[in-house]
């Protein structure tokens, strides 16, 4: 009897297995008879063994291996998984609407919401603007249902402290779920086809969150159009978030991991509580480190604070990583909590509480100083400068920062060029992101100094020389005739009566000794202007490219904002011009108005000694701290000619007569401000406002020819009208100041320069985004003639 029962069970089991195999065969035949939207019958195959070409799946676009469906008549292939993909998915990570399978994207430039790559084949689509590759939609579905057979045999990797050069690309990858760097945590090998943290795959589907106790937060695709309640960042449209759709509450995966309560060694008396509202408090760790050392603006809402006292920390300062390795130092830095302040060995600035230490080298640094660029370029130096944790005093005797003129403490970190003994503070060098460029250490040997692509010598040939080597006759690239050197303006070139009409064609300042002149025309050039190179890097121009010296054009200087038709340096990329005078000034100058050297400090705020305007960005005196000069007033010529006086008017820096009844302008007959510079003739006791003596366009050379006016057939000449002249042919008002007169003596055409100037000169004066120079802070004086932007 026992044998009969056993035999019965055996035959029953055999029949069950037979039925199962028959059912599988029927399913295979049923699937093999499907067309999957194809015009021919599609056949199921376990292995592609007769294929000579690469077989590509028409749904996912990847190589076909193993079980697949194919067409015998044409190259049509589908993975078995792609063929079995349902036409509609009620996805647990997107509960609002189903995902519908489409044969192709519904619009161009479609990106997968999971992996971020372009969708070119079949996609799962939702009206919420969600699109997925077939495998990217199925994988999270299996993950939600805990069916992760495809990850069982995938290697889990632990990020190494040291990343090899051949793994640099790995550093750029983000996890597809949290979209944080893949190397932040253990991750699955990329062989699985996805970038995934191990912890993200194991995330719970629901969490109870302390800042949203009404409902649990559900793990969902990041599609809702509301910001994370912790960091307040706008939705990126990628990865997953924990959210409550009815309450429009969402937090990033990483933000949800932040503990609500912290006990830190830097504040042992009380616990710190996470607050998500803006508190208006400063972080106790980074508040003493201005500019580049402060926390990111978007992180200032994530704040841990003590409910018993005023102590608080930004989240990045409260939860710093335990170790950090960057290219600026060969060893890793380890977290070292401090209850007292310290001086950072990398930048020389004070820090509090959060620090990192290299015990091998005995270095204590800010967290952000670990990632300082090791080599950079700045406009004020032609060579790259290197970060050093200390400098030796006998090698750097002049330790003043070339950006702020304050002393650099060489026992702490700085940027320097050893060959030129050039040194700057780390804070000054990295003050603004666009003002410096990082240099790859691999390029440093072949790019020690940037070399211009063409010759910079402006003198085409030297025709005559003195015995001492001085060039007395030259051919300059800016002029068609030969130029002759003159050292005595009155005796050798012109009489005193005509001096007021002579200006340098380069800087458009009154001509002075020594200079070159043309014996065939009225071309004049200071000897210093004649040596200006045809290509030059300027210390104040941020893009650091070589600028080209241009002649024969009219422009507005982007530094002093003056219109000029002299020489200019032009940057093609930035589309800006700088007049020759501004371009040839250094950041360290000596001015006749002051006995000490002046230094340009882009952050110095003060009142200009010349125009009494309060500005930021000044040439300042470090010795007496009582003299400031801004860029526009530096441009004032030391002498000026005016028809009100037969002598040259000298730029005067203080009142020669203290009586207020004598403080009037002899040109406009209006009162002068005794705090402002003016022009004065000591012989005739004539004084004038600077703008009255110079006019509105002091740097457009009188007598030069203008050929760009299309409304008139003849060449026009620039002329300065001191008194009212004939009426303008455009506005019909009496001509005064700078006008254009017809060079043809038989034509009486005359027009104001303001009426015909090009459109690109008509716009209002603008700020200087391409330079280090400053901006107006305030102007308390009335009728100020200086405009700084």
């Amino acid at each position: 009897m026992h044998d009969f029962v056993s035999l019965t069970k055996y035959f029953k089991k055999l029949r069950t297995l037979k039925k199962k195999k028959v059912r599988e065969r029927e399913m295979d035949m049923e699937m093999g008879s499907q067309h999957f939207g194809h015009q021919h019958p599609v056949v199921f195959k376990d292995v592609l063994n007769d294929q000579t070409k690469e077989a590509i799946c028409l749904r996912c676009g990847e190589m076909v291996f193993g079980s697949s469906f194919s067409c015998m008549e044409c190259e049509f292939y589908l993975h078995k998984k792609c063929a079995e993909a349902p036409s509609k998915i009620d996805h647990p990570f997107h509960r609002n609407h189903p995902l519908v399978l489409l044969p192709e994207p519904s619009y161009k430039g479609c990106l997968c919401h999971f992996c971020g790559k372009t969708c070119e084949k079949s996609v799962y689509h939702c009206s919420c603007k969600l699109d997925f590759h077939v495998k990217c939609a199925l994988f999270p579905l299996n993950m939600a249902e805990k069916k992760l057979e495809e990850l069982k045999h995938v290697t889990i990797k632990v990020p190494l402290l040291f990343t090899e050069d051949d793994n640099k690309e790995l550093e750029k990858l983000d996890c597809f779920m949290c979209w944080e760097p893949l190397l932040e945590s253990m991750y699955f090998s990329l062989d699985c086809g996805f970038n995934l943290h191990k912890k993200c795959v194991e995330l719970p589907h629901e969490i109870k969150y302390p800042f949203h106790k009404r409902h649990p937060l559900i793990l969902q695709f990041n599609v809702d159009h509301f910001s994370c309640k912790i960091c307040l960042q706008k939705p990126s449209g990628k990865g997953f978030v924990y959210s409550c759709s009815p309450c429009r509450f969402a937090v990033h995966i990483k933000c949800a991991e932040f503990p609500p309560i912290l006990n830190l060694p830097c504040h042992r008396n009380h616990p710190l509580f996470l607050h998500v509202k803006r508190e208006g408090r400063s972080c106790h760790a980074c508040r003493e480190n201005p500019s580049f050392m402060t926390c990111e603006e978007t992180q200032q809402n994530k704040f841990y604070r003590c409910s018993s006292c005023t102590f608080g920390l930004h989240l990045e300062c409260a939860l710093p990583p335990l170790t950090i390795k960057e290219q600026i130092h060969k060893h890793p830095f380890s977290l070292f909590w401090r209850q007292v302040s310290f001086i950072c060995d990398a930048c020389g600035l004070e820090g509090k509480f959060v620090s990192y230490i290299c015990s091998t080298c005995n270095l204590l640094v800010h967290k952000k100083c670990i990632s300082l660029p090791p080599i950079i370029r700045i406009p004020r130096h032609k060579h790259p400068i290197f970060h050093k944790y200390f400098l030796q005093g006998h090698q750097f005797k002049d330790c003043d920062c070339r950006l702020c003129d304050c002393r650099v403490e060489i026992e702490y970190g700085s940027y320097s060029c050893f060959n030129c003994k050039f040194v700057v503070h780390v804070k000054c060098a990295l003050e603004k992101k666009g003002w410096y460029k990082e240099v790859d250490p691999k390029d440093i040997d072949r790019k020690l100094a940037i070399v211009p692509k063409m010759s910079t010598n402006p003198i085409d040939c030297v025709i005559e020389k003195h015995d001492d080597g001085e060039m007395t006759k030259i051919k300059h690239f800016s002029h068609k005739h030969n130029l002759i050197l003159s050292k005595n303006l009155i005796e050798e070139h012109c009489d005193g009566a005509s001096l007021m009409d002579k200006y340098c064609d380069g800087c458009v300042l009154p001509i002075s000794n020594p200079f070159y002149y043309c014996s065939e025309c009225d071309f004049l050039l200071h000897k210093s202007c004649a040596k200006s190179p045809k290509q030059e890097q300027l210390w104040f121009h941020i893009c650091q490219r070589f600028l080209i010296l241009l002649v024969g054009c009219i422009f507005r200087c982007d530094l002093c904002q003056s219109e000029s038709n002299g020489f200019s340096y032009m940057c093609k990329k930035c589309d800006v011009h700088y007049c020759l005078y501004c371009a040839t000034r250094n950041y360290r100058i000596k001015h006749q108005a002051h006995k000490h050297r002046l230094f340009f400090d882009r952050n110095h705020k003060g009142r200009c000694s010349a125009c009494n305007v309060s500005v930021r960005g000044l040439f300042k005196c470090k010795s007496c701290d009582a003299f400031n000069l801004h860029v526009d007033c530096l441009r004032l010529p030391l002498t000026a000619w005016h028809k009100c006086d037969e002598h040259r008017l000298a730029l005067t820096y203080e009142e020669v007569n203290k009586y207020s009844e004598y403080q009037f302008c002899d040109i406009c007959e209006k009162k002068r401000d005794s705090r402002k510079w003016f022009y004065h003739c000591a012989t005739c006791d004539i004084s004038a406002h600077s703008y009255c003596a110079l006019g509105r366009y002091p740097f457009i050379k009188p007598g030069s020819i203008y050929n760009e006016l299309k409304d008139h057939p003849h060449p026009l000449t620039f002329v300065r009208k001191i008194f009212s002249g004939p009426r303008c042919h455009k506005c019909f008002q009496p001509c005064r100041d700078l006008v254009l007169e017809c060079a043809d003596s038989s034509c009486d055409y005359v027009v104001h320069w303001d009426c015909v100037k090009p459109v690109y000169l008509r716009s209002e004066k603008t700020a200087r985004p391409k330079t280090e120079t400053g901006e107006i802070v305030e102007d308390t004086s009335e009728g100020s003639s200086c405009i700084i932007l």
Side-chain angles (χ1 to χ4, degrees):
M1 185 68 179
H2 178 73
D3 294 339
F4 177 77
V5 172
S6 299
L7 191 62
T8 303
K9 288 182 178 180
Y10 170 75
F11 282 111
K12 185 176 180 180
K13 186 176 181 180
L14 191 64
R15 285 195 300 270
T16 303
L17 290 173
K18 188 175 181 179
K19 287 181 180 179
K20 185 176 181 181
K21 288 184 178 180
V22 171
R23 179 56 187 160
E24 288 179 352
R25 190 180 300 110
E26 289 176 353
M27 288 179 64
D28 289 344
M29 293 177 63
E30 180 182 352
M31 293 172 67
S33 65
Q34 295 179 23
H35 289 206
F36 300 106
H38 189 59
Q39 57 183 344
H40 306 134
V42 178
V43 179
F44 175 75
K45 291 186 178 183
D46 283 331
V47 180
L48 286 175
N49 51 11
D50 58 344
Q51 190 69 25
T52 57
K53 295 183 179 180
E54 292 184 351
I56 303 298
C57 176
L58 268 298
R59 279 194 173 171
C60 67
E62 296 183 358
M63 289 283 295
V64 174
F65 296 100
S67 301
S68 65
F69 290 88
S70 61
C71 174
M72 303 298 293
E73 300 184 35
C74 58
E75 296 181 358
F76 180 89
Y77 302 96
L78 289 177
H79 289 118
K80 185 174 181 292
K81 288 186 177 181
C82 292
E84 295 173 350
S87 60
K88 185 184 294 185
I89 300 177
D90 292 319
H91 212 292
F93 292 135
H94 187 63
R95 304 182 181 184
N96 298 336
H97 313 105
L99 302 180
V100 180
L101 183 63
L102 301 179
E104 60 183 16
S106 57
Y107 58 94
K108 291 183 178 180
C110 175
L111 297 178
C112 176
H113 195 83
F114 185 66
C115 70
K117 297 179 181 178
T118 304
C119 298
E120 297 179 350
K121 303 292 183 180
S122 300
V123 295
Y124 276 101
H125 175 75
C126 176
S127 57
C128 299
K129 297 182 179 180
L130 267 180
D131 293 280
F132 298 92
H133 296 118
V134 173
K135 70 171 187 176
C136 293
L138 296 178
F139 178 81
L141 180 64
N142 295 334
M143 187 174 66
E145 297 173 353
K146 303 298 182 182
K147 298 177 181 179
L148 293 175
E149 288 81 4
E150 53 193 303
L151 291 181
K152 284 184 178 180
H153 304 292
V154 177
T155 305
I156 296 176
K157 295 192 173 184
V158 179
L160 299 177
L161 190 60
F162 301 95
T163 303
E164 300 296 333
D165 291 339
D166 56 353
N167 290 333
K168 287 296 182 182
E169 292 299 320
L170 198 61
E171 297 179 356
K172 303 177 183 178
L173 299 180
D174 295 320
C175 171
F176 288 164
M177 293 192 67
C178 65
W179 282 95
E180 296 294 332
L182 193 63
L183 295 182
E184 276 192 356
S185 176
M186 291 190 295
Y187 62 95
F188 287 96
S189 170
L190 302 186
D191 297 336
C192 69
F194 301 100
N195 303 343
L196 295 169
H197 288 136
K198 181 178 180 294
K199 65 177 183 179
C200 291
V201 174
E202 299 170 350
L203 287 172
H205 292 179
E206 293 186 5
I207 61 171
K208 293 182 179 180
Y209 197 62
F211 297 111
H212 189 71
K213 298 180 179 180
R214 185 181 305 175
H215 309 119
L217 300 185
I218 312 299
L219 187 64
Q220 300 183 47
F221 292 124
N222 185 11
V223 293
D224 294 314
H225 301 290
F226 41 89
S227 304
C228 172
K229 295 297 182 181
I230 300 297
C231 67
L232 300 186
Q233 291 182 359
K234 295 181 180 179
S236 62
K238 294 189 295 186
F240 290 70
V241 292
Y242 278 105
S243 66
C244 175
S245 296
C247 301
R248 300 183 62 81
F249 186 98
V251 291
H252 293 126
I253 292 175
K254 184 176 181 179
C255 294
E257 297 174 350
F258 299 146
I261 302 176
L262 278 180
N263 290 288
L264 296 179
C266 66
H267 190 68
R268 300 176 181 177
N269 297 333
H270 313 113
L272 302 180
F273 296 87
L274 178 63
H275 284 255
V276 297
K277 295 183 180 180
R278 188 180 293 274
E279 297 291 333
R281 298 186 182 187
S282 60
C283 171
H284 279 66
C286 63
R287 66 179 180 181
E288 298 297 333
N289 306 323
S291 302
F292 75 100
M293 292 304 299
T294 55
C295 290
E296 297 292 338
E297 183 177 345
T298 57
Q299 309 298 338
Q300 292 180 358
N301 302 286
K302 297 188 281 185
F303 204 84
Y304 280 97
R305 69 165 183 155
C306 177
S307 58
S308 303
C309 59
T310 60
F311 187 85
L313 296 173
H314 291 127
L315 185 122
E316 280 66 31
C317 296
L319 296 170
L322 296 179
T323 58
I324 302 177
K325 175 68 178 71
E326 291 286 351
Q327 59 179 344
I328 194 172
H329 192 60
K330 59 184 177 181
H331 304 132
F333 284 90
S334 302
L335 178 63
F336 183 59
W337 289 105
R338 300 270 298 189
Q339 288 188 289
V340 295
S341 61
F342 64 96
I343 301 298
C344 174
D345 287 315
C347 69
L349 297 177
E350 184 184 12
K352 290 188 176 182
F353 304 109
V354 183
S355 63
Y356 281 81
I357 188 170
C358 173
S359 55
T360 306
C361 304
N362 194 26
L363 295 176
L364 189 66
V365 299
H366 295 115
K367 177 192 170 193
K368 286 196 173 183
C369 286
I370 298 174
S371 57
L372 291 177
I375 310 171
I376 62 172
R377 286 187 184 274
I378 61 174
R380 291 204 187 182
H381 195 60
K382 60 183 178 180
H383 300 140
I385 53 177
F386 297 75
H387 181 269
K388 301 291 183 183
Y389 283 99
F390 63 89
L391 298 173
Q392 295 181 351
H394 69 277
Q395 295 175 337
F396 284 82
K397 295 181 180 180
D398 181 7
C399 296
D400 289 342
C401 174
R402 301 298 177 88
L403 291 174
C404 70
D405 207 29
C406 296
R407 182 171 178 78
V408 176
E409 300 296 335
I410 60 175
E411 59 268 24
Y412 298 109
S414 62
Y415 282 99
S416 61
C417 174
F418 178 78
N419 293 333
C420 304
K421 309 306 178 188
F422 179 96
V423 61
V424 294
H425 292 116
V426 172
K427 172 190 171 184
C428 296
L430 306 181
E431 182 178 356
K432 289 190 178 181
K433 185 67 176 177
W435 287 7
Y436 67 92
K437 293 182 179 180
E438 296 185 26
V439 178
D440 190 336
K442 297 178 182 178
D443 298 335
I444 199 62
D445 291 334
R446 60 186 179 88
K447 290 186 177 180
L448 188 58
I450 301 177
V451 180
K453 296 180 180 180
M454 54 181 281
S455 173
T456 62
N457 189 1
I459 300 174
D460 293 338
C461 67
V462 179
I463 301 172
E464 293 180 4
K465 275 186 178 182
H466 271 166
D467 295 337
D468 59 0
E470 186 175 36
M471 298 176 292
T472 57
K473 192 173 185 179
I474 63 172
K475 180 70 176 68
H476 198 269
F477 88 100
S478 65
H479 193 60
K480 59 184 179 180
H481 305 138
N482 297 333
L483 301 180
I484 302 170
L485 181 65
S486 174
K487 292 187 176 181
N488 192 316
L489 187 66
I490 297 178
E491 294 181 2
E492 295 186 15
H493 187 64
C494 53
D495 54 40
S498 62
L499 284 178
M500 66 174 58
D501 298 324
K502 303 303 174 183
Y503 294 86
C504 172
D505 281 85
C507 62
V508 202
L509 292 176
I511 200 66
S512 58
N513 295 322
F515 66 98
Y516 286 97
Y517 69 93
C518 176
S519 59
E520 301 181 42
C521 62
D522 196 31
F523 186 88
L524 301 171
L525 200 61
H526 287 125
K527 183 180 178 182
S528 58
C529 296
K531 294 180 179 179
S532 301
K534 289 195 286 187
Q535 288 194 58
E536 184 70 295
Q537 286 179 296
L538 304 181
W539 62 269
F540 52 80
H541 189 63
I542 294 173
C543 88
Q544 302 187 35
R545 283 175 167 79
F546 275 92
L547 282 71
I548 301 173
L549 184 62
L550 298 182
V551 298
C553 66
I554 191 163
F555 62 93
R556 174 179 288 161
C557 175
D558 201 63
L559 200 60
C560 69
Q561 301 289 305
S562 301
E563 292 179 25
S564 175
N565 62 349
F567 292 2
S568 71
Y569 279 100
M570 179 191 180
C571 178
K572 291 184 177 180
K573 179 180 182 292
C574 303
D575 191 26
V576 295
H577 290 259
Y578 301 108
C579 67
L580 190 60
Y581 185 87
C582 290
T584 53
R585 299 308 98 185
N586 202 344
Y587 57 88
R588 284 177 169 175
I589 63 169
K590 187 71 177 69
H591 198 276
Q592 291 186 3
H594 195 65
K595 60 183 178 180
H596 301 136
R597 186 199 67 178
L598 303 180
F599 182 92
F600 182 79
D601 184 352
R602 63 194 179 199
N603 292 317
H604 181 65
K605 294 182 180 180
R607 192 167 294 279
C608 175
S609 301
C611 63
N612 199 40
V613 174
S614 182
V615 298
R616 185 191 67 186
L618 290 159
F619 284 91
K620 68 174 184 178
C621 175
K622 178 181 178 181
S623 302
C624 59
D625 199 27
F627 186 89
N628 299 311
L629 194 61
H630 77 279
V631 173
D632 290 32
C633 291
L634 180 66
R635 184 73 163 95
L636 292 174
L638 299 179
T639 60
W641 287 104
H642 197 277
K643 290 187 177 179
C644 70
D645 194 277
E646 61 180 350
H647 308 110
R648 284 194 180 193
L649 301 178
L651 183 61
T652 308
Y653 316 115
E654 58 183 3
E655 284 293 341
V656 292
N657 198 323
K658 301 299 182 182
Y659 294 101
S660 59
E661 58 265 25
Y662 291 98
Q663 295 174 2
F664 281 84
C665 174
D666 288 295
I667 297 177
C668 68
E669 299 182 351
K670 294 181 179 179
K671 187 173 179 59
R672 291 185 294 104
D673 189 338
S674 60
R675 296 170 295 179
K676 296 180 180 181
W677 291 359
F678 62 99
Y679 284 91
H680 180 71
C681 174
T683 305
C684 304
D685 195 21
I686 288 179
S687 301
H689 294 120
S690 58
Y691 51 89
C692 290
L694 298 175
R696 290 181 59 198
Y697 302 102
F699 306 115
I700 294 180
K701 182 178 178 179
S704 55
I705 302 298
Y706 184 73
N707 293 313
E708 298 180 20
L709 188 62
K710 297 180 180 179
D711 296 345
H712 192 67
H714 307 138
L716 301 173
T717 304
F718 281 106
V719 178
R720 286 182 186 153
K721 295 287 187 182
I722 304 300
F723 307 104
S724 298
R727 293 186 179 274
C728 171
H729 279 62
K730 289 288 185 182
C731 67
F732 305 108
Q733 297 297 318
C735 285
R736 194 169 183 178
D737 206 352
L738 189 66
V739 300
L740 288 168
E741 286 185 348
C742 183
D744 189 342
S745 58
S746 62
C747 179
D748 62 351
Y749 183 86
V750 62
V751 64
H752 287 118
W753 170 240
D754 284 339
C755 294
V756 296
K757 70 167 61 175
V759 176
Y760 64 86
L761 293 176
R762 291 178 182 273
S763 59
E764 294 295 326
K765 296 181 181 180
T766 57
R768 305 167 179 133
K770 311 296 182 184
T771 70
E772 292 185 9
T773 55
E775 60 198 56
I776 238 180
V777 177
E778 62 174 336
D779 180 11
T780 57
S781 59
E782 297 181 1
S784 174
S785 62
C786 294
I787 303 174
I788 306 173
L789 298 153

